[in-house]
């Protein structure tokens, strides 16, 4: 037999130092037996670089026997595949006899470190008795094109292990490659196994493992089908590899597993801390449960607890074992020597790195050499002197088709000034969630400064914390360790403690239908209504658990509690109409892409008062609240469910009128009596009386702004002065009033000036003949809506 070898890289001579087989079409080696062939292949592995062998292809032919060109082409294969097929022929047969699943527990911080569930991990045993971990096993299977078969074998054995060794109250997380999920018949394969072994679908979590870049929209469609059958979804290794914000946004995961590389020693790294906080905050808004992976150090465990994480796994608790075990290492004692401190803020300049750069005059060979020197870098910025021109990606640099540097450059991504304020950068990324790898920073002259990772900028907006580190970044209500400590202390010291859990209904569906910005606005609206209701009451603490869940901690019996809660519901229903499209409001429901209908603006409230037994801790209270909320979720529309035997269900009144719009318009109407001119401080006294107006301006009948903005003194520096002469005739607040001569109130939007949620109120000013004389316009923030709607006059 004769073995032919060839490297199909036209630039191999220029890029490698005399590789043994480079470019030699006639390189061949003879052998007689399989043993001789393996000896030759092993020698090549020992002597040649992995880079050379990766580009080497092989062909085997009978000695002196001519081959048909088509047959020769079909028989040619990559060297690594050829080697694996001959070195490990058992990979081509049934794989399950070689696979053994190991199980690593996932612990629950809220339950004192008890085991919550298990992740099933692949172990592959070779005929020689050597054990390979999951990464090694799938890398080997990939060489012989058997990753799909190995994936299915692991899933089958994991589910058998679940049915035999893991109790029904503990879910099992099974790893699945995206390409497996999207393969025909896979879901039926899983469902059949569950039926055969009588496994509850809710006890199975499909953990999506990154393997290659995947279209998030396509993957999300398959995940929606999985969820429709009752299984749950987890995203693995969030924060590393290909799992980015787009997949997090598209795939509505039940769990997010944060990669060890981010969690490990995060409290000592500013970058890892920012990334971790960004993922946590985004997950909270999406309603996902977070699991921290790879915990080994006491400091990392306490840090995750301080950040409010609930679940974790890692070698600290237990190593993967062939038999699932509930025996895990206890949580470490909490003391100051191991307590971590969460940073409060950061400066953008700390995160600008120079990055990899290359001059536009460089050759493609020089570019490849640069990437070979920096093997961990995927993108280089192409410069003309000091001016950035484009970006060069590693994959394109090594493409066989390109002949010059310019032919494989991509346009520049977002370019920003390196002195731009962090809040502005955060808003840019928040409003423009483009799938960008990097941002380019330049100085005032346009010269290259460095690169920024957008994920870190995202953290400025969604993970900004107060100095205590215990205020929710969106609602600014108490959250995290402070909230849990207050709750547990109240339950421990006061038998009369009552807990109220407030939950937005169909919030995930609302996010899908209307997007993150309106979703955040809805959370802010409810939080402001709750804040206004309780800001002057004693003996009650308002907290934001995360996502769309709020809690009230009463240290006493409140006879009027039910009436207060019904008033909160009524206010929310009256104000939330500004968060929906008119067509959805008319129908009374909105429809998501999966064809499901969801009612508009409803809230479920659970009151846990101890009438069904003593409340020992916050976990017990949450469990009872979950039972009550389940009763509430079965009802269509808002409801209050009070703990009792049996539980009481209280529905809000059918009609509620909030006069907040009338009060806002009346306040604006009162300004007509005041002299208005070009003076920027003409209305300062009015802002003292009506502090909920952020800015006021007046329009001519043709839509052109008449005077400069009158700005609330509290908003100086946030809202621009000036504005006189600007044509605003295309704005809805002008057009609607000009057409109808009636007041107009907009839907809620995110202000680009104040970075807060606002709406616009506009009022026509008519002359004695009823003709339009001018239009008075004002912006009101979402907190002011709650103030105007509250019972306080």
């Amino acid at each position: 037999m004769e073995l032919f070898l060839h490297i199909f890289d036209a630039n191999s001579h220029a890029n490698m130092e005399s590789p043994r087989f480079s470019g030699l079409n006639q390189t061949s080696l003879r052998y007689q037996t399989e043993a001789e062939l393996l000896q030759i292949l092993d020698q090549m592995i020992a002597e040649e670089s992995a880079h050379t062998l990766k580009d080497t292809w092989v062909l085997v032919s009978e000695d002196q026997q001519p081959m048909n060109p088509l047959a020769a082409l079909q028989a040619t294969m990559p060297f690594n595949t050829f080697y694996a097929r001959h070195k490990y022929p058992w990979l081509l047969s049934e794989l399950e006899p070689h696979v053994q699943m190991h199980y690593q527990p996932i612990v629950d911080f809220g339950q004192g470190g008890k085991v919550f569930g298990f992740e099933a991990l692949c172990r592959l045993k070779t005929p020689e008795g050597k054990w390979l971990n999951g990464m090694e096993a799938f890398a080997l299977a990939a060489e012989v094109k058997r990753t799909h078969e190995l994936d299915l074998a692991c899933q089958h054995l994991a589910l058998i292990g679940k049915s035999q060794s893991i109790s029904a109250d503990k879910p099992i997380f099974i790893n699945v490659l995206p390409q497996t999920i999207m393969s025909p018949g896979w879901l039926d394969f899983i469902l059949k196994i569950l039926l055969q072994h009588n496994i509850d679908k809710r006890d199975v979590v499909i953990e999506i493992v990154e393997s290659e870049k995947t279209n998030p929209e396509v993957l999300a469609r398959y995940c929606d089908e999985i969820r429709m059958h009752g299984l749950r979804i987890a995203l693995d290794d969030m924060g590393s590899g290909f799992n980015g914000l787009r997949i997090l946004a598209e795939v509505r995961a039940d769990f997010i597993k944060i990669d060890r590389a981010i969690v490990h020693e995060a409290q000592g790294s500013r970058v890892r801390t920012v990334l971790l906080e960004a993922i946590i905050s985004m997950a909270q808004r999406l309603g996902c449960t977070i699991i921290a992976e790879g915990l080994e150090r006491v400091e990392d465990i306490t840090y995750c607890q301080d950040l409010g994480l609930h679940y974790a796994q890692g070698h600290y608790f237990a190593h993967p074992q062939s038999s699932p075990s509930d025996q895990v290492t206890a949580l470490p004692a909490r003391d100051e020597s191991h307590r971590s401190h969460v940073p409060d803020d950061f400066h953008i300049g700390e995160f600008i790195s120079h990055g990899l750069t290359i001059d536009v005059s460089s050759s493609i060979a020089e570019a490849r050499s640069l990437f070979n020197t920096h093997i961990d870098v995927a993108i280089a910025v192409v410069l003309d002197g000091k001016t950035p021109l484009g970006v060069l990606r590693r994959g394109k640099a090594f493409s066989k088709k390109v002949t010059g540097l310019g032919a494989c450059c991509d346009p520049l991504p977002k370019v920003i000034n390196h002195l731009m304020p962090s809040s502005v950068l955060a808003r840019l990324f928040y409003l423009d969630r483009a799938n960008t790898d990097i941002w380019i920073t330049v100085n005032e002259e346009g010269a290259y400064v460095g690169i920024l990772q957008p994920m870190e900028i995202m953290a400025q907006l969604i993970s900004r914390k107060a100095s205590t580190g215990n205020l929710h970044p969106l609602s600014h209500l108490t959250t995290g360790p402070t909230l849990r400590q207050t709750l547990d202390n109240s339950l421990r010291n006061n038998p009369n403690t009552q807990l109220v859990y407030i939950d937005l209904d169909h919030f995930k569906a609302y996010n899908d239908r209307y997007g993150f910005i309106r979703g955040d606005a809805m959370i802010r609206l409810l939080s402001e209504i709750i804040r206004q209701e309780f800001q002057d009451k004693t003996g009650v603490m308002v907290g934001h658990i995360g996502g769309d869940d709020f809690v009230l901690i009463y240290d006493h019996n409140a006879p009027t509690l039910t009436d207060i809660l019904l008033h909160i519901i009524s206010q929310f229903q009256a104000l939330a109409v500004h968060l929906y499209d008119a067509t959805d409001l008319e129908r009374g429901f909105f429809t998501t892409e999966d064809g499901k209908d969801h009612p508009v603006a409803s809230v479920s409230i659970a009151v846990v008062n101890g009438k069904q037994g003593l409340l020992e801790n916050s976990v017990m209270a949450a469990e009872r609240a979950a039972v009550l909320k389940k009763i509430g979720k079965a009802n269509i529309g808002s409801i209050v469910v009070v703990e009792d035997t049996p539980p009481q269900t209280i529905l809000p009144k059918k009609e509620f009128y909030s006069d907040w719009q009338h009060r806002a318009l009346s306040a604006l109407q009162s300004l007509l009596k005041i002299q208005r001119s070009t003076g920027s401080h003409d209305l300062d006294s009015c802002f003292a009386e009506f502090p909920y107006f952020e800015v006021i301006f007046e329009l001519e009948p043709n839509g052109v702004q008449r005077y400069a903005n009158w700005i609330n003194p509290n908003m100086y520096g946030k809202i621009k002065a000036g504005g006189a002469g600007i044509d605003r005739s295309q704005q809805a607040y002008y057009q609607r009033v000009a057409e109808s001569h009636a007041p107009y109130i907009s839907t809620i939007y995110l202000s680009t000036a104040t970075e807060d949620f606002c709406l616009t109120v506009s009022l026509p000013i008519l002359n004695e003949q009823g003709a339009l004389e001018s239009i008075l316009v004002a912006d009101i923030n979402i907190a002011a809506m709650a103030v105007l709607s509250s019972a306080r006059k």
Side-chain angles (χ1 to χ4, degrees), residues 431-728:
L431 297 176
D432 179 18
R433 293 183 174 88
N435 188 24
T436 303
D437 300 299
I438 58 174
W439 285 353
I440 308 297
T441 57
V442 296
N443 62 19
E444 292 76 4
E445 290 75 38
Y448 176 80
V449 174
I451 62 173
L452 280 173
Q453 301 293 336
M455 187 73 163
E456 298 167 17
I457 307 308
M458 183 70 163
Q460 278 287 335
L461 186 58
I462 66 177
S463 291
R464 188 178 302 144
K465 293 181 177 288
S467 59
T468 61
N470 287 306
L471 295 181
H472 193 279
L474 183 59
S475 65
H476 304 297
L477 295 173
T478 304
T479 189
T482 297
L483 179 61
R484 291 195 303 276
Q485 183 178 1
T486 302
L487 201 159
D488 281 325
N489 288 342
S490 183
L491 290 171
R492 184 168 52 251
N493 301 321
N494 192 337
N496 295 321
T497 295
Q498 295 187 85
L499 303 172
V500 180
Y501 293 84
I502 304 175
D503 183 19
L504 285 168
D505 295 331
H506 309 282
F507 182 69
K508 282 188 179 180
Y510 181 85
N511 253 343
D512 293 340
R513 167 69 175 85
Y514 286 102
F516 291 111
I517 292 179
R518 284 213 216 179
D520 285 355
M522 179 173 281
I523 292 175
R524 273 291 309 279
L525 176 61
L526 182 56
S527 70
E528 291 299 337
I529 291 172
I530 297 172
R531 190 198 312 276
Q532 288 298 322
E533 195 65 46
F534 293 99
Q535 68 177 0
D536 58 358
K537 289 182 171 62
T538 59
V540 58
M541 180 178 186
V542 182
H544 191 167
I545 300 175
D548 58 325
D549 295 320
F550 300 86
V551 64
L552 309 175
I553 305 173
Y554 272 86
D555 64 4
H556 62 283
N557 289 319
T560 61
L561 177 58
T562 300
D563 292 336
I564 295 173
L565 298 178
L566 290 175
H567 185 63
I568 289 174
I569 290 175
S570 298
Q571 283 186 273
F572 176 75
Q573 290 176 331
L575 299 181
V577 296
H578 297 280
L579 291 165
Y580 291 86
D581 291 349
T583 53
D584 290 340
L585 289 173
E586 291 173 2
R587 296 186 302 169
F589 62 89
F590 63 93
T591 305
T592 47
E593 289 184 357
D594 56 8
K596 293 183 178 180
D597 296 334
H598 307 271
V600 300
S602 60
V603 180
S604 294
I605 300 179
V607 180
V608 182
N609 52 26
K611 288 188 177 181
Q612 292 182 324
L614 181 66
L615 292 168
E616 296 180 358
N617 53 47
S618 58
V619 175
M620 183 180 292
E623 290 175 347
R624 290 204 203 164
V627 175
L628 300 178
K629 286 196 286 186
K630 188 174 182 180
I631 297 173
K633 294 295 184 181
N635 176 75
I636 298 177
S638 298
I639 190 172
V640 178
V641 184
V642 182
E643 186 177 39
D644 207 338
T645 307
Q648 300 179 38
T649 56
I650 306 168
L651 298 176
K653 297 178 181 179
K654 296 297 182 182
E655 297 293 336
F656 173 82
Y657 174 72
S658 172
D659 66 346
W660 82 269
Q661 298 181 6
H662 172 74
R663 296 175 68 187
L665 290 171
S666 295
L668 203 55
Q669 182 79 34
S670 67
L671 302 185
L672 302 182
K673 304 173 185 177
I674 300 175
Q675 178 67 35
R676 303 181 306 280
S677 66
T678 57
S680 59
H681 297 283
D682 284 356
L683 301 186
D684 280 3
S685 60
C686 300
F687 287 118
E689 184 178 357
F690 308 120
Y692 32 81
F693 292 138
E694 292 188 339
V695 61
I696 302 170
F697 54 90
E698 189 169 346
L699 303 180
E700 300 278 6
N702 61 0
V704 174
Q705 186 167 328
R706 178 172 288 177
Y707 309 118
N709 295 330
W710 296 293
I711 302 172
N712 188 321
N714 292 326
M715 303 305 294
Y716 287 163
K718 290 186 177 181
I719 299 177
K720 291 181 179 180
I726 294 178
D727 184 359
R728 304 188 185 275

Side-chain angles (χ1 to χ4, degrees), residues 10 36 72 112 121-122 207 241 246 270 278 335 353 367 374 401 423 440 526 580 615 618 622 662 729 746:
E36 291 180 6
L121 300 166
C122 170
E207 187 168 327
R246 286 193 65 201
R270 177 76 71 168
D335 58 65
S353 60
H374 300 83
K401 298 179 181 179
S423 59
I440 308 297
L526 182 56
Y580 291 86
L615 292 168
S618 58
H662 172 74
S729 61
S746 74

